Amino acid sequence: MNALVRVMPALPGTLRRSSRMVERSVMVYRRTWMIIVSGFFEPLFYLLSIRIGFGALIGEVTVDGSLIDYAEFVAPALMASAAMNGAVYDSTMNIFYKLKHAKLYETVLATPLSPTEVAAGEILWALTRGLLYSIAFLICIVALGMASSGWILLAVPACVLIGFAFAAMGMAVTTYMRGWSDFEFIPAATLPMFLFSATFYPISSYGGWAWAVQISPLYHGAALVRAAALGDASWGIVGHVTYLVVMAGVGLAIAGRRLGTLLRA
Amino acid sequence: MASAIASLAVPDPSHPPVIAARSITKRFGDFEAVRGIDFDVARGECFGFLGPNGAGKSSLMRMVSSVSPVTSGELHIFGMDPATNGPAIRARMGVVPQTDNLDQELTVEENLVIYGRYFDLARSQCRDRARELLDFVKLADRAGSRVEPLSGGMKRRLTIARSLMNRPELLLLDEPTTGLDPQARHVLWERLYQLKEQGVTLVLTTHYMDEAEQLCDRLVVMDHGLIVAGGTPRGLIDEHATREVLELRLAASDRSGVAQHIGDLAVRVEDLPDRVLVYTPDGDEALARLRAAGVHPLGSLVRRSSLEDVFLRLTGRTLTD
């Protein structure tokens, strides 16, 4: 509590300084806006493949005793996975390049910004980008008729939270990377998560291994987006949100501290 | 240009020192890069750190730029402690690092604008200052260019322009002209001199003696993490060298008797593989004595001694890294 009181008055300044990193990214992407636009095609292709392929093949499935369209079951999980992938990419490769090769943070730390503000600013940018992609994803879901509830709008903030958790943790992990070859480990973590987070079939299918699935942060992200998409409110949501908020907080704390030790030696 | 830097502080001898360091050290694991040094930098002066590679200059600069904490000792900048007032100190300081770390993803002008934004300047102010500073460093015609194709000298000038965006009272330059051609160096010196005229306190590291002599009011020589000498450039030369140096190329048989022939005019004789240096108050007279003794050098040169002689005297001729 004491620490919180000390931090509070400084918060507006911190937020403003962090937002400078977002401003820089906007400056960079102003010229390369096509990169951002290209991100809109990813959800479209994903969803089309489900709609055309699986949807027709599988039809309806039973989840927790109720019958739903398979495409409606999978689409939210894909949206959550896309949020994860975008955040991980932004916070690992991009951050590593700026940290080790462009020496960007070295430059910025000669100004009044602190390492934590830099970390927060970069994550804020990852979230801004994630927000745009999530909106695009949502538009595609609705356009392809894969949504049945108006609550699906809440899938967007849910994806921002997923992005926050993964971007913070991704950045924390990146501060430990020694070279580009270390990035080979990232798909080794994200691919199993993508496949085994109750993304393509309900958690009940895992039988006695359900507890292992629940370790995966993407499981909580997908469950959250799915709950929004199906308009399915339950106490489980609190658990999912808590898991992701804690992950974001821990990631941010580690990233800020590690950037400090790396750049302030 | 005047308006971009005219408002910078004017030297005032009654002010407390801009930088005050008392037995500061910097340790990296077992290695002690800076081993307890003291110095003050007064407002408006140009203060230099000279030393061979690995002397601890850069570690020292990083501490002064309030990026790297001191391991022990006391450091105050603008009367504040970097450990607790880092952001406030950095807000009033400009930093030119040893290697240019310009933002490769932005244009020349954008580099300046975003840097001003890091200091919380209004966007319009950033654009105005960027334009003024690009004029100041003669890069106005490259405003829209990417950073990558610029020459080394241009990048250096841009880095200096960037360091001036917040109108610093104190400018730290870590080897500002290393790797530049003579023209580029002279343009930089000119600019730095102008800044000093406008009252900016300059602190620089260099291993170019001519640079130190040109720019610095006072300087210290560092070696192995310690200050080994300090003073004005002229004072250091007077104290640690003689007025003149007689450089001789001699036949091998003539080398041994040099000191003897010149006698009391040879304060110190240094026997190098390619030549013999005689440190003396009067080079011409020393040479005359040598000739009178029947020694005829293959080549000879009488020159004023320079900071380089002081530097080599104090830090030795052995390569340090």
Side-chain angles (χ1 to χ4, degrees), chain B residues 1 100 102 106-112 127 129-165 180 184 187-188 191:
Chain B
M1 182 54 228
D100 294 310
L102 295 159
L106 299 174
T107 67
V108 167
E109 189 176 9
E110 284 170 342
N111 258 278
L112 300 187
R127 277 192 298 270
R129 281 192 197 177
R131 234 163 283 144
E132 284 166 13
L133 286 168
L134 286 178
D135 275 336
F136 180 64
V137 297
K138 302 189 169 148
L139 282 172
D141 54 330
R142 300 304 292 267
S145 157
R146 286 281 188 142
V147 168
E148 217 275 310
L150 299 185
S151 74
M154 287 174 166
K155 283 182 187 160
R156 213 70 191 126
R157 263 140 61 205
L158 181 57
T159 307
I160 289 182
R162 189 183 68 181
S163 72
L164 297 173
M165 278 300 287
L180 298 186
V187 171
L188 271 183
R191 290 297 172 257

Side-chain angles (χ1 to χ4, degrees), chain A residues 16 20-21 23-24 27-28 30-31 97-98 103-104 106-113 263-265, chain B residues 26 62 67-69 87 90 101 103 105-107 110 113-115 117-120 123 146 162:
Chain A
R16 193 182 55 236
R20 300 298 180 224
M21 296 312 294
E23 204 173 318
R24 177 195 168 272
M27 230 177 212
V28 171
R30 211 162 44 188
R31 262 191 311 278
Y97 168 75
K98 290 190 249 185
K103 309 268 178 207
L104 173 68
E106 218 177 271
T107 309
V108 177
L109 290 182
T111 75
L113 272 77
L263 297 166
R264 291 255 158 103
Chain B
K26 182 74 200 184
R62 283 173 55 77
V67 165
S68 156
R90 293 197 298 274
N101 50 9
D103 200 324
E105 296 181 278
L106 299 174
T107 67
E110 284 170 342
V113 171
I114 194 66
Y115 203 74
R117 294 292 287 159
Y118 297 147
F119 286 91
D120 245 352
R123 226 162 279 182
R146 286 281 188 142
R162 189 183 68 181

Side-chain angles (χ1 to χ4, degrees), chain B:
Chain B
M1 182 54 228
S3 65
I5 29 187
S7 68
L8 292 162
V10 179
D12 178 359
S14 69
H15 267 75
V18 174
I19 306 173
R22 295 291 171 272
S23 40
I24 58 171
T25 67
K26 182 74 200 184
R27 192 194 304 272
F28 301 100
D30 283 341
F31 174 66
E32 204 167 20
V34 176
R35 303 191 294 156
I37 65 174
D38 300 77
F39 64 93
D40 279 340
V41 177
R43 190 166 291 270
E45 77 172 326
C46 179
F47 192 91
F49 287 96
L50 257 84
N53 292 333
K57 303 186 302 287
S58 291
S59 300
L60 183 67
M61 287 298 255
R62 283 173 55 77
M63 289 192 280
V64 174
S65 63
S66 306
V67 165
S68 156
V70 298
T71 305
S72 70
E74 264 183 59
L75 179 63
H76 284 92
I77 298 148
F78 306 122
M80 293 182 279
D81 182 354
T84 48
N85 290 91
I89 295 171
R90 293 197 298 274
R92 294 163 64 182
M93 189 155 68
V95 177
V96 177
Q98 196 175 110
T99 45
D100 294 310
N101 50 9
L102 295 159
D103 200 324
Q104 305 280 341
E105 296 181 278
L106 299 174
T107 67
V108 167
E109 189 176 9
E110 284 170 342
N111 258 278
L112 300 187
V113 171
I114 194 66
Y115 203 74
R117 294 292 287 159
Y118 297 147
F119 286 91
D120 245 352
L121 303 178
R123 226 162 279 182
S124 59
Q125 202 172 22
C126 289
R127 277 192 298 270
D128 290 347
R129 281 192 197 177
R131 234 163 283 144
E132 284 166 13
L133 286 168
L134 286 178
D135 275 336
F136 180 64
V137 297
K138 302 189 169 148
L139 282 172
D141 54 330
R142 300 304 292 267
S145 157
R146 286 281 188 142
V147 168
E148 217 275 310
L150 299 185
S151 74
M154 287 174 166
K155 283 182 187 160
R156 213 70 191 126
R157 263 140 61 205
L158 181 57
T159 307
I160 289 182
R162 189 183 68 181
S163 72
L164 297 173
M165 278 300 287
N166 60 325
R167 294 189 183 170
E169 297 161 52
L170 168 64
L171 187 58
L172 307 179
L173 304 116
D174 198 357
E175 298 190 11
T177 62
T178 297
L180 298 186
D181 62 27
Q183 284 83 357
R185 285 176 72 193
H186 281 273
V187 171
L188 271 183
W189 288 350
E190 229 176 87
R191 290 297 172 257
L192 294 179
Y193 186 76
Q194 277 175 281
L195 288 169
K196 189 169 165 268
E197 291 281 278
Q198 280 150 358
V200 184
T201 307
L202 301 178
V203 173
L204 61 92
T205 72
T206 183
H207 40 226
Y208 293 124
M209 304 309 124
D210 50 347
E211 186 161 288
E213 275 181 282
Q214 280 265 341
L215 293 171
C216 298
D217 301 312
R218 286 195 304 140
L219 53 92
V220 293
V221 179
M222 281 185 77
D223 199 22
H224 298 108
L226 290 168
I227 291 178
V228 291
T232 63
R234 198 62 241 168
L236 280 171
I237 294 168
D238 291 345
E239 193 178 332
H240 298 280
T242 49
R243 208 168 76 84
E244 293 182 335
V245 180
L246 170 62
E247 295 200 13
L248 298 165
R249 283 179 201 285
L250 294 166
S253 55
D254 286 334
R255 281 178 164 248
S256 55
V258 170
Q260 221 178 319
H261 296 315
I262 298 174
D264 62 344
L265 275 183
V267 175
R268 191 162 60 91
V269 176
E270 198 171 359
D271 203 347
L272 302 177
D274 59 334
R275 70 221 141 108
V276 175
L277 302 186
V278 181
Y279 295 88
T280 170
D282 188 341
D284 288 322
E285 180 54 30
L287 184 59
R289 284 192 189 180
L290 207 57
R291 290 209 165 107
V295 176
H296 296 282
L298 308 171
S300 68
L301 167 75
V302 176
R303 60 170 175 82
R304 289 180 65 201
S305 65
S306 72
L307 217 40
E308 184 148 358
D309 300 304
V310 174
F311 183 79
L312 290 174
R313 178 80 214 260
L314 291 170
T315 65
R317 286 188 184 272
T318 325
L319 278 180
T320 52
D321 69 359

